[in-house]
Amino acid sequence: MERIERIHALHRILTAARYPVTVQRLQEDLECSRATVYRDLAYLRDYLMAPVVGNGEAGFRYDTSEGDRFELPGLWLSSEELHSLLAAQQLLMRSGGGVLSNALAPLQQRIEKLLDEHAGGRRLPVERVRVIPHRTRRLDETAFRAVATAVLDRKQLTFEYRARSTDQRTRRSVSPQRLTHYRENWYLDAWDHERDALRSFSVDRISAAKIGEDAARDVADEELDQHLASSYGIFSGAPKGWATIVFSAKAARWVADEHWHSQQQGRFLPDGRYELKVPYSAGRELLMDVMHYGSDAEIVEPVVLREQAKSMLELALSNYGS
């Protein structure tokens, strides 16, 4: 019996058992040696996180308080699990030579071992699956460490911020709330003390960051979610309204499978086009995403957002002359 088959058989035995199962019985049922039984039990408990309890004398079983909730992973990883593992693996590889290299080496080895074990002993050619960063921005690593430390240590933070929209540099004093990774880039959600309001800052525009001694002001999760997560994209706030976008039948094949917002509403129209409705606060990011589809997308409402899109397209067309 192959190892992966034994693991599944062992799981079935322990799931069905009302009382501890002796090692002798496991040897007989699994058709293996005593040492192999112990190795498989250890693998089930340590790598697959199964709630195995017991010892060699009394026998083994699943913890009754957790056994019903435990499910043995399948032979294949889901797309999200595979992406997460490979992304973590590649991030760890890119950290080589840094201060975390030695500390993270065991985690890198465990990920590789998990991928190998999940394949039933076969080597998975993970180099054939790539996770390609897209439109990432250069970060000041010193500033990033200060931001991350302030978020986790719950300390106030001061920094220079150069807004990308105006190119103006200002000094900010904030209470960090969350560090958010969105579309391959990092953002700091914080309470701005001078403006007495929640703001989001692109971390790649932060410099000269200094962690203060004062404790950060904590904003309730409900308020953070309402302000930062209820509307479209990272530049959110209390929704001002809903935008309706209609996509061509050709683009509909892509848009219908895309996640734009947790509260989005979509439907196919009789002629094959696709209508998408999303809540939004500031229209800048929504407009950028809609413009990505060019002539295959049309903002129907609200009128003010439609006019903004029209102006952007006219300006773009003017770059190409008459």
Side-chain angles (χ1 to χ4, degrees):
M1 187 182 296
E2 295 292 334
R3 185 181 192 189
I4 195 66
E5 296 177 31
R6 288 200 315 273
I7 294 298
H8 278 273
L10 178 58
H11 170 66
R12 288 194 297 269
I13 293 170
L14 297 180
T15 299
R18 298 181 59 186
Y19 302 100
V21 184
T22 65
V23 175
Q24 179 63 37
R25 181 194 155 186
L26 291 175
Q27 283 182 250
E28 295 170 357
D29 290 350
L30 300 176
E31 300 177 351
C32 64
S33 68
R34 185 181 184 86
T36 298
V37 168
Y38 278 107
R39 282 197 296 270
D40 288 349
L41 285 166
Y43 175 77
L44 193 62
R45 180 190 62 217
D46 299 336
Y47 288 94
L48 300 182
M49 306 304 175
V52 178
V53 295
N55 55 62
E57 294 182 3
F60 296 88
R61 62 180 176 84
Y62 279 161
D63 188 328
T64 54
S65 65
E66 300 181 37
D68 292 341
R69 295 196 298 268
F70 174 73
E71 293 183 4
L72 192 66
L75 292 176
W76 301 104
L77 297 169
S78 70
S79 61
E80 288 187 356
E81 291 169 335
L82 180 61
H83 177 273
S84 297
L85 277 177
L86 292 176
Q89 183 191 43
Q90 294 189 23
L91 283 170
L92 291 171
M93 290 174 65
R94 289 204 294 270
S95 74
V99 295
L100 296 178
S101 181
N102 292 334
L104 294 179
L107 181 57
Q108 164 78 3
Q109 295 167 5
R110 181 158 184 175
I111 289 176
E112 293 175 353
K113 188 169 183 178
L114 177 60
L115 287 169
D116 290 340
E117 295 285 0
H118 204 79
R122 295 177 295 107
R123 179 188 174 276
L124 285 178
V126 294
E127 67 277 1
R128 292 186 177 274
V129 182
R130 296 186 297 168
V131 178
I132 302 176
H134 176 62
R135 299 177 68 180
T136 56
R137 300 169 187 163
R138 289 189 298 273
L139 280 176
D140 179 338
E141 292 295 340
T142 300
F144 177 81
R145 282 194 291 270
V147 170
T149 299
V151 170
L152 298 176
D153 286 351
R154 312 304 306 126
K155 294 292 186 181
Q156 291 188 20
L157 183 72
T158 58
F159 53 83
E160 297 278 340
Y161 191 70
R162 188 172 183 179
R164 189 171 272 107
S165 58
T166 63
D167 205 35
Q168 293 182 348
R169 188 183 298 273
T170 57
R171 189 71 182 170
R172 302 297 185 98
S173 177
V174 305
S175 282
Q177 303 299 317
R178 293 173 177 170
L179 187 59
T180 303
H181 190 257
Y182 175 73
R183 295 190 175 189
E184 302 287 353
N185 295 294
W186 289 100
Y187 298 88
L188 171 65
D189 300 330
W191 181 266
D192 190 315
H193 292 287
E194 291 185 4
R195 290 157 181 78
D196 199 33
L198 286 168
R199 292 289 186 269
S200 289
F201 302 93
S202 183
V203 176
D204 64 291
R205 307 298 285 180
I206 290 176
S207 62
K210 294 184 179 179
I211 302 172
E213 295 295 330
D214 295 335
R217 166 183 173 176
D218 285 331
V219 178
D221 287 340
E222 294 78 9
E223 184 176 351
L224 287 172
D225 291 337
Q226 182 179 7
H227 183 83
L228 300 170
S230 60
S231 195
Y232 180 87
I234 192 70
F235 304 105
S236 54
K240 294 179 179 177
W242 286 72
T244 301
I245 311 110
V246 173
F247 296 86
S248 70
K250 180 179 70 175
R253 297 194 293 270
W254 280 268
V255 180
D257 294 329
E258 292 179 350
H259 176 81
W260 288 48
H261 189 275
S262 60
Q263 299 175 26
Q264 70 185 47
Q265 300 173 10
R267 67 186 181 103
F268 279 96
L269 301 178
D271 59 3
R273 294 181 301 162
Y274 190 79
E275 180 186 81
L276 178 68
K277 294 185 177 183
V278 292
Y280 78 100
S281 176
R284 177 176 48 170
E285 188 174 18
L286 178 55
L287 285 168
M288 287 191 295
D289 279 355
V290 174
M291 295 299 104
H292 167 76
Y293 278 94
S295 61
D296 287 311
E298 176 188 0
I299 296 176
V300 178
E301 56 184 14
V303 174
V304 63
L305 198 63
R306 180 182 175 89
E307 290 302 316
Q308 288 175 2
K310 182 179 179 180
S311 297
M312 289 177 64
L313 290 170
E314 289 175 345
L315 286 172
L317 185 61
S318 68
N319 291 332
Y320 296 91
S322 56

